[in-house]
Amino acid sequence: MATFEIFRDKSDEFRFRLKAGNGQIILASEGYKAKAGAENGIASVKTNAPDDARYGRKESKGGEPYFVLKAKNGEVIGMSEMYSSKTAMESGIDSVKTNAPIAGLVDQT
């Protein structure tokens, strides 16, 4: 089963990541000063993940595809890893769409 994990990073900020059932990280957040910010971010991912229009398909300077998930207001709420191909990136988007709305929560703080 997919899970969201809330954790503290090296800068002592709160972050979350969405892991697929196989343990692979499929979406990661920015840092938040307060835990409530990360919790609100998770709620926003759950709400926005099913909507294909919320995904920005991007390419790194090195030519690697990746995606961002945006809230209704256009703010980025999560970013993927770099993928080897656009097909792999689309599979990652499909995984977020499927897993985010039903993912559990693991609090590692």
Side-chain angles (χ1 to χ4, degrees):
M1 181 173 162
T3 56
F4 282 99
E5 293 179 346
I6 293 180
F7 63 98
R8 285 183 182 259
D9 66 14
K10 292 176 185 172
S11 301
D12 206 31
E13 289 187 319
F14 292 91
R15 293 182 179 265
F16 66 83
R17 56 188 163 224
L18 174 61
K19 286 187 170 183
N22 64 4
Q24 182 180 359
I25 297 170
I26 53 177
L27 193 73
S29 77
E30 65 183 8
Y32 296 91
K33 298 286 183 202
K35 186 176 179 179
E39 291 168 338
N40 289 339
I42 290 170
S44 185
V45 170
K46 285 179 173 257
T47 298
N48 290 289
D51 186 350
D52 192 68
R54 300 280 185 257
Y55 291 88
R57 289 147 172 94
K58 310 274 186 179
E59 192 172 286
S60 72
K61 290 179 183 175
E64 298 169 303
Y66 70 99
F67 64 87
V68 295
L69 177 61
K70 297 180 181 181
K72 191 174 184 176
N73 65 4
E75 186 176 333
V76 174
I77 49 178
M79 187 174 117
S80 74
E81 65 181 356
M82 299 297 158
Y83 289 95
S84 59
S85 68
K86 288 183 179 179
T87 302
M89 177 191 68
E90 291 298 332
S91 292
I93 290 171
D94 288 342
S95 184
V96 173
K97 286 178 181 177
T98 301
N99 289 296
I102 59 169
L105 178 63
V106 176
D107 189 340
Q108 298 180 335
T109 58

